[in-house]
Amino acid sequence: MTEDELASTFCDSASGAAARSACLERAIGAVRAEGGGALHRLVVALGAQLTTVTETESRQRALQLLNGVIDGVPPAALSEEALSVLVAFYRARLHDYPCARDVLGGLHILVRLPVSDEERQSVWSALTEDCDARSLAQPERHAALSLAIAL
C-alpha cells in the first residue's frame, strides 16, 4: 500500500477503526524500514488533508496518523532536520482550535524526542503567545498544560 493509499484510507470517514489501525501500523513499519524518505512521502500524501480549511475531521485524522507514526517509530528514525520541520509545522498549527488536541498531542510527542533547546523554546513561545489555552475546552486545555509541563 502506497503512502497515498494509506493517507486516503486513514482519513476517509468511512474507514473503520480496524482499517485505520492497519494503515497506522503499515506507515510505522515503512518509516522504521526506510526512515525519513517514507516519512516525507507520508507527509506529502497527507498534504491536502493536513491543510484543508473546510474539513475539520479530515485534518484531525491526518494529524492523528502523523502523531501515531511519530510516536511509533524509534527516535533514531527521525533526523534532526525532520524533527525541526515537524516542530515548525505543529507550532504553526496551534491556531487551529478545532484540531487543538491533536496539534498539542503532536507537539507533546515531539518535545519528548531529542529536539534542540531552540526548538523547545520556539514551542514554548508559540504555546504562550499563539494559543489561548483559557479558551480551549477542558481536554485541550489539559493537553496544553501537559505540554507546558513537558517543556
Side-chain angles (χ1 to χ4, degrees):
M1 187 176 268
T2 69
E3 285 81 3
D4 287 330
E5 293 168 331
L6 288 173
S8 178
T9 301
F10 193 92
C11 295
D12 185 358
S13 61
S15 295
R20 287 193 302 276
S21 180
C23 288
L24 176 60
E25 291 305 316
R26 286 185 180 176
I28 290 171
V31 174
R32 282 184 176 161
E34 299 176 41
L39 180 62
H40 180 264
R41 289 190 306 274
L42 179 63
V43 171
V44 169
L46 288 169
Q49 290 94 344
L50 287 169
T51 58
T52 180
V53 295
T54 59
E55 297 181 32
T56 301
E57 185 177 330
S58 183
R59 269 194 332 276
Q60 289 170 332
R61 288 186 187 215
L63 286 165
Q64 290 164 6
L65 177 58
L66 191 55
N67 289 353
V69 170
I70 295 166
D71 197 32
V73 299
L78 303 171
S79 69
E80 185 178 323
E81 180 183 4
L83 287 172
S84 181
V85 168
L86 287 166
V87 167
F89 169 76
Y90 278 93
R91 198 179 59 232
R93 301 300 308 173
L94 277 172
H95 69 279
D96 185 1
Y97 289 117
C99 296
R101 186 181 312 173
D102 297 311
V103 171
L104 291 163
L107 281 168
H108 198 258
I109 293 165
L110 288 166
V111 300
R112 291 190 326 236
L113 298 173
V115 296
S116 69
D117 289 340
E118 292 82 18
E119 295 292 342
R120 289 179 189 281
Q121 180 60 43
S122 72
V123 170
W124 174 258
S125 295
L127 182 62
T128 57
E129 296 170 13
D130 299 337
C131 179
D132 185 8
R134 295 172 299 170
S135 69
L136 297 173
Q138 199 284 326
E140 288 81 4
R141 193 174 329 123
H142 181 266
L145 293 173
S146 295
L147 175 58
I149 290 168
L151 290 167

